[in-house]
């Protein structure tokens, strides 16, 4: 039974976590309090805040702060739990407990939703509750709701996006200022765009989680995180950026998911989801997305090409998405129901990278030898790979740097060519290779 001293005319919020995004969410709720109340039809009150560190100064009154997070999800006066802790545990356990206690949930926890989202959505639907997570993907960019609603009549053919602001900032600096990756990353850390441990961004875990979520919504079936191929940007160098520019491309860390129809004996149907550095033509709209901005390009069978872009992270951007979800939930509370869950009950069939058909960029260092190019071309030909472009640079001591751009080929065939090239004595090293999107045709 609710405490009679509690004001039941407002929606009471319990926040789990009060870091950067928590502060951004709270500021927006306070600064826009009157406008939000008018949109919802009642006041929204942050009634309790759960944190791990009780000593750290907070923007909120100490009287509502507690280290006992379980007490918040068990509090019968709390209507909505806003989870901004991050990680899988204890966040997942607390959200599950909140749903079982009859509380709606808003979260920005990409790792949790990617790994346990389908299960939690099914629980929310069973309980007749909302579970919203717009802030988990793209920060302030509206992506989840458009996919669930405005674009839901379309069959999504392909989605492709810049899903991580840190790596996009690093690659932008490498492109525009000719910085080395380590220098650009250090600058990103100094500006607060990258964590002290940037592994999640640089190694591609962050966009892998986000693409898992987007794929599940876009294709209406669960895409397990392990079904998303992942590759970070550590191997991308200034030389790759320079050659890409010369060939008419930009280098971006992209998340790509596309439906693949069965092709008889060649490949079963399913969805191929992948995160990796990609050469993308300069004329593509994603090529001009700079710095910490994110963007997602979606191709639907009826709507055609649609693109969403904006700040992908930070207190204000992600806080905006959280508050937007919160307003949606509070409106549903006002009318006595939940209306935005999309429970996912089936699994996607993730396809391996072996059958991917795409063009490739390959940079190598070779010794200057007669018939060297002919020998290399023969290897490609034997693997059913044709070449679209080539660039060469002379290096000291009778060596050269060669870059090849292939026509689209099967990934497995390309890897066979790499194995054969490594056995040629005059090739000193295969410096790097990168997939190409929309080029080399």
């Amino acid at each position: 039974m609710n405490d009679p001293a509690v004001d039941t005319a407002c929606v009471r919020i319990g926040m789990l976590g009060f870091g950067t995004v928590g502060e951004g969410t709270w500021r927006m709720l306070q600064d826009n309090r009157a406008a939000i109340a008018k949109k919802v039809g009642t006041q929204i009150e942050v009634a309790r805040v759960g944190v791990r560190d009780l000593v750290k100064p907070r923007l909120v009154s100490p009287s509502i702060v507690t280290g006992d997070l379980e007490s918040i999800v068990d509090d019968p006066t709390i209507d909505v739990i806003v989870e901004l802790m991050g990680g899988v545990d204890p966040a997942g356990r607390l959200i599950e407990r909140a749903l079982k206690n009859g509380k709606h949930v808003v979260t920005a926890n990409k790792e949790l939703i990617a790994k346990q989202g389908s299960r939690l959505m099914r629980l929310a639907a069973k309980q007749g509750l909302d579970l919203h997570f717009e802030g988990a993907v793209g920060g302030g960019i509206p992506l989840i709701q458009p996919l669930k609603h405005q674009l839901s009549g379309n069959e999504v053919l392909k989605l492709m996006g810049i899903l991580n602001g840190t790596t996009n900032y690093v690659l932008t600096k490498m492109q525009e200022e000719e910085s080395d990756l380590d220098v650009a990353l250090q600058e990103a850390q100094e500006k607060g765009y990258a964590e002290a441990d940037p592994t999640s961004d640089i190694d591609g875990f962050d966009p892998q989680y986000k693409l898992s979520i987007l794929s599940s919504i876009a294709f209406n079936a669960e895409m397990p995180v392990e079904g998303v191929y992942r590759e970070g940007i550590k191997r991308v160098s200034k030389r790759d950026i320079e050659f890409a520019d010369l060939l008419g491309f930009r280098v971006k860390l992209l998340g790509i998911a596309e439906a693949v129809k069965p092709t008889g004996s060649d490949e079963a149907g399913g969805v191929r989801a992948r995160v990796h550095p990609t050469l993308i033509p300069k004329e593509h709209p994603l090529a001009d997305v700079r710095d910490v901005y994110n963007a997602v390009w979606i191709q639907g069978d009826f709507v055609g090409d649609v693109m969403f872009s904006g700040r992908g992270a930070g207190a204000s951007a992600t806080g905006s998405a959280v508050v937007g979800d919160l307003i949606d939930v509070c409106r549903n509370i006002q009318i006595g129901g939940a209306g935005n869950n999309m429970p996912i009950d089936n699994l996607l069939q993730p396809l391996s990278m072996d059958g991917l058909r795409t063009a490739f960029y390959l940079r190598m260092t070779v010794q200057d030898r007669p018939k060297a190019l002919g020998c290399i071309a023969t290897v490609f030909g034997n693997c059913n790979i044709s070449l679209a472009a080539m660039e060469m640079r002379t290096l000291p001591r009778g060596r050269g740097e060669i870059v090849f751009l292939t026509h689209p080929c099967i990934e497995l065939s390309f890897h066979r060519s790499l194995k054969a090239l490594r056995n040629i004595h005059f090739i000193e090293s295969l410096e790097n290779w990168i997939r190409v999107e929309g080029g080399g045709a």
Side-chain angles (χ1 to χ4, degrees):
M1 182 178 295
N2 288 355
D3 185 339
V6 172
D7 180 8
T8 57
C10 68
V11 177
R12 288 168 57 82
I13 308 302
M15 293 182 66
L16 305 179
F18 202 79
T20 301
V21 176
E23 288 189 1
T25 300
W26 186 85
R27 285 182 184 277
M28 190 173 190
L29 287 171
Q30 300 309 306
D31 292 351
N32 295 350
R33 187 179 186 86
I36 290 171
K38 184 178 291 187
K39 292 173 181 177
V40 173
T42 189
Q43 294 289 333
I44 297 177
E45 176 192 353
V46 177
R48 301 189 68 188
V49 175
V51 298
R52 293 187 178 97
D53 182 2
L54 291 171
V55 178
K56 182 179 177 181
R58 310 283 175 181
L59 294 175
V60 294
S61 169
S63 64
I64 67 169
V65 178
T66 179
D68 184 359
L69 278 63
E70 284 81 2
S71 70
I72 296 179
V73 298
D74 290 339
D75 187 338
T77 71
I78 298 295
D79 302 297
V80 185
I81 294 296
V82 176
E83 185 275 309
L84 303 173
M85 302 168 59
V88 173
D89 189 62
R93 174 170 46 82
L94 290 167
I95 287 179
E96 181 175 355
R97 189 161 164 175
L99 291 169
K100 288 180 177 178
N101 285 338
K103 303 184 191 307
H104 303 274
V105 174
V106 173
T107 178
N109 191 333
K110 53 185 169 285
E111 182 179 4
L112 176 65
I113 295 300
K115 293 180 177 179
Q116 299 185 12
S118 296
R119 180 180 65 83
L120 293 172
M121 280 189 279
R122 287 193 292 270
L123 175 59
K126 180 181 178 181
Q127 297 288 98
L129 298 166
D130 277 325
L131 170 60
H132 285 358
F133 47 89
E134 187 70 63
V137 181
I141 309 171
L143 292 172
I144 303 299
Q145 293 292 358
L147 279 171
K148 286 167 61 175
H149 296 289
Q150 290 82 6
L151 298 176
S152 60
N154 285 262
E155 180 181 350
V156 175
L157 306 175
K158 186 173 186 177
L159 66 85
M160 182 165 63
I162 296 167
L163 302 175
N164 182 268
T166 300
T167 51
N168 201 46
Y169 179 87
V170 168
L171 292 172
T172 299
K173 291 300 174 184
M174 292 175 70
Q175 170 71 47
E176 297 180 357
E177 299 180 9
E178 299 183 358
S179 301
D180 288 319
L181 189 148
D182 290 345
V183 173
L185 177 58
Q186 182 178 353
E187 184 176 335
Q189 289 172 318
E190 290 170 353
K191 292 189 174 184
Y193 299 146
E195 300 289 341
D197 178 3
T199 301
S200 182
D201 298 323
I202 298 301
D203 286 349
F205 290 101
D206 176 87
Q208 181 189 37
Y209 298 147
K210 293 174 180 176
L211 187 62
S212 169
I213 297 169
L214 283 175
S215 299
S216 298
I217 301 298
F219 300 105
N220 195 32
E222 182 181 356
M223 170 58 77
V225 173
E226 57 272 19
V228 179
Y229 174 84
R230 176 188 56 81
E231 188 181 313
I233 65 169
K234 284 182 177 177
R235 293 193 300 123
V236 178
S237 73
K238 270 196 311 186
R239 296 296 285 163
D240 298 317
I241 300 281
E242 292 167 5
F243 275 113
D245 184 68
L246 188 64
L247 292 164
F249 295 88
R250 296 278 184 262
V251 179
K252 298 290 184 183
L253 181 67
L254 295 184
I256 304 170
E258 55 192 324
V260 178
K261 296 189 181 299
T263 56
S265 60
D266 293 335
E267 185 171 33
V271 172
R272 180 175 287 111
R274 47 198 169 101
V275 171
H276 52 71
T278 310
L279 266 66
I280 189 165
K282 292 179 183 178
E283 59 270 20
H284 194 284
L286 287 174
D288 289 329
V289 179
R290 303 174 56 257
D291 292 335
V292 294
Y293 279 77
N294 286 193
V296 174
W297 171 89
I298 298 171
Q299 184 181 52
D301 60 345
F302 272 75
V303 75
D305 296 349
V306 179
M307 189 163 123
F308 303 84
S309 66
R311 288 191 175 273
S316 298
T318 307
S320 173
V322 171
V323 172
D325 276 349
L326 187 53
I327 289 172
D328 209 12
V329 170
C330 291
R331 283 171 172 163
N332 287 339
I333 291 174
Q334 291 298 99
I335 63 174
N340 288 307
N341 276 324
M342 191 173 80
I344 293 173
D345 297 317
N346 55 316
L347 281 169
L348 285 171
Q349 178 60 48
L351 299 178
S352 78
M353 295 294 285
D354 287 349
L356 174 66
R357 183 174 177 80
T358 189
F360 287 89
Y361 156 101
L362 173 63
R363 178 169 61 90
M364 64 177 70
T365 301
V366 303
Q367 299 168 9
D368 187 3
R369 295 287 188 274
K371 301 181 181 180
L373 286 177
C375 184
I376 294 170
T378 298
V379 169
F380 282 125
N382 290 339
C383 295
N384 296 316
I385 299 171
S386 60
L387 300 176
M390 182 184 73
E391 292 289 337
M392 299 178 63
R393 292 288 182 273
T394 301
L395 297 176
R397 299 187 300 277
R399 297 153 61 246
E401 188 175 38
I402 308 177
V403 166
F404 294 100
L405 194 66
T406 77
H407 284 287
C409 61
I410 301 300
E411 172 132 347
L412 188 60
S413 298
F414 182 75
H415 283 285
R416 286 173 180 155
S417 75
L418 295 182
K419 184 177 180 180
L421 290 168
R422 289 188 181 100
N423 292 325
I424 297 178
H425 68 279
F426 59 77
I427 297 179
E428 291 189 355
S429 63
L430 302 180
E431 303 289 350
N432 200 10
W433 55 267
I434 304 173
R435 297 171 186 88
V436 181
E437 190 68 27

